[in-house]
Amino acid sequence: MEFGKKEHVLNYACQLYQLSRPTKVGAVMALIRECQPSSYEEWKDWYFANAYTATKTPVKLSLESLTELGERLYEKIQTFVIPDWQEAFSQLTLQDCIDYIYNLTINRTYDGYIREKSVVNDGLAKKFPNVKFEESDPELDHAGDIDYVAKVGNYQFGIQVKPVTANANFGGYSLSERMKASFNDFTEKYGGKVFVVYSQKGEIANTDVIDNIRKEIERLQSLR
């Protein structure tokens, strides 16, 4: 399907209101990998036969379920997105655009660089001194989604560093389907999982990830 210029709005609102999360539409990448379809019809039938929401009490998904999500998306766009954007458009100035480009290119790049260095070099590397952490090679396919790779013997796991301000409720952070596919491809190629580490003032905010990383290191070590 082609949505033209409307796709920008649809993508924005769908991500903002988390309507494409596994809790809403199921773990679609896992489902299609399990299905291994040879045709579109095979995948569609498999999805509606096997898809459940990734919730504490899974709910069977159907065409009606997806229709309801579409209706919710439309309501959110009409009620919130369009009024907010109209207000933003009416207030936007040339100086806003100049300041935004400067801030994005200079300030945020520097902040992100310092944040990554602090979390990895002052945090993870000290907690796991026997693991070698390296910046992701910018030439590799996964570089845009994975900031650092950590080597455990012949295997690697990945680290993505995000500021808490990117999503105040980091426990509810939702990976895009593209990013999930990128993480899965990394795991298939290098053996290890990819972990999202949240930074707050240079410290690891989601401290539970440390124990998960420790377990992954132990798992990879056992594969030697």
Side-chain angles (χ1 to χ4, degrees):
M1 297 181 184
E2 294 292 337
F3 298 96
K5 295 179 180 178
K6 292 181 289 185
E7 186 153 359
H8 298 295
V9 180
L10 294 167
N11 284 338
Y12 170 82
C14 193
Q15 289 296 317
L16 179 64
Y17 295 105
Q18 302 180 347
L19 298 179
S20 60
R21 294 184 64 185
T23 53
K24 297 293 194 301
V25 298
V28 293
M29 287 306 300
L31 280 167
I32 199 167
R33 288 174 185 272
E34 183 181 354
C35 175
Q36 294 291 310
S38 57
S39 69
Y40 164 77
E41 289 297 330
E42 183 182 355
W43 157 238
K44 183 182 68 173
D45 292 343
W46 172 274
Y47 175 85
F48 288 123
N50 296 276
Y52 288 81
T53 58
T55 50
K56 188 174 182 180
T57 303
V59 176
K60 182 84 167 58
L61 289 158
S62 64
L63 180 59
E64 289 73 21
S65 304
L66 300 189
T67 300
E68 181 184 352
L69 287 173
E71 292 170 347
R72 290 173 60 185
L73 176 61
Y74 180 78
E75 180 184 359
K76 294 292 187 184
I77 290 173
Q78 292 293 323
T79 305
F80 300 105
V81 175
I82 291 177
D84 287 349
W85 281 19
Q86 286 176 334
E87 181 181 0
F89 293 156
S90 68
Q91 298 175 358
L92 192 65
T93 67
L94 171 60
Q95 192 60 47
D96 287 333
C97 296
I98 294 171
D99 291 343
Y100 176 81
I101 291 296
Y102 182 90
N103 187 60
L104 185 66
T105 306
I106 305 299
N107 300 351
R108 291 190 184 180
T109 302
Y110 180 77
D111 289 346
Y113 175 77
I114 296 300
R115 180 178 66 247
E116 289 177 7
K117 288 286 187 183
S118 179
V119 164
V120 175
N121 295 339
D122 298 330
L124 296 178
K126 290 183 178 179
K127 292 182 182 298
F128 306 107
N130 296 324
V131 175
K132 186 177 182 181
F133 291 88
E134 296 180 350
E135 293 180 5
S136 181
D137 187 338
E139 298 300 319
L140 298 180
D141 292 340
H142 63 258
D145 298 320
I146 299 170
D147 300 314
Y148 279 78
V149 295
K151 298 182 178 180
V152 181
N154 296 323
Y155 302 95
Q156 297 180 27
F157 64 88
I159 299 292
Q160 183 190 73
V161 182
K162 281 191 167 293
V164 167
T165 51
N167 182 12
N169 180 18
F170 53 76
Y173 175 64
S174 176
L175 297 176
S176 67
E177 291 303 318
R178 181 199 59 75
M179 196 172 291
K180 288 178 194 175
S182 178
F183 286 6
N184 287 334
D185 289 343
F186 179 92
T187 299
E188 290 180 5
K189 186 172 182 178
Y190 299 103
K193 300 176 183 177
V194 179
F195 299 90
V196 178
V197 179
Y198 269 89
S199 170
Q200 188 170 40
K201 297 181 180 179
E203 301 291 332
I204 297 173
N206 54 331
T207 53
D208 58 308
V209 77
I210 296 172
D211 189 50
N212 293 333
I213 291 173
R214 180 177 289 108
K215 291 176 181 176
E216 179 67 354
I217 291 171
E218 293 172 354
R219 184 185 73 84
L220 295 176
Q221 288 174 333
S222 70
L223 299 177
R224 293 180 180 178

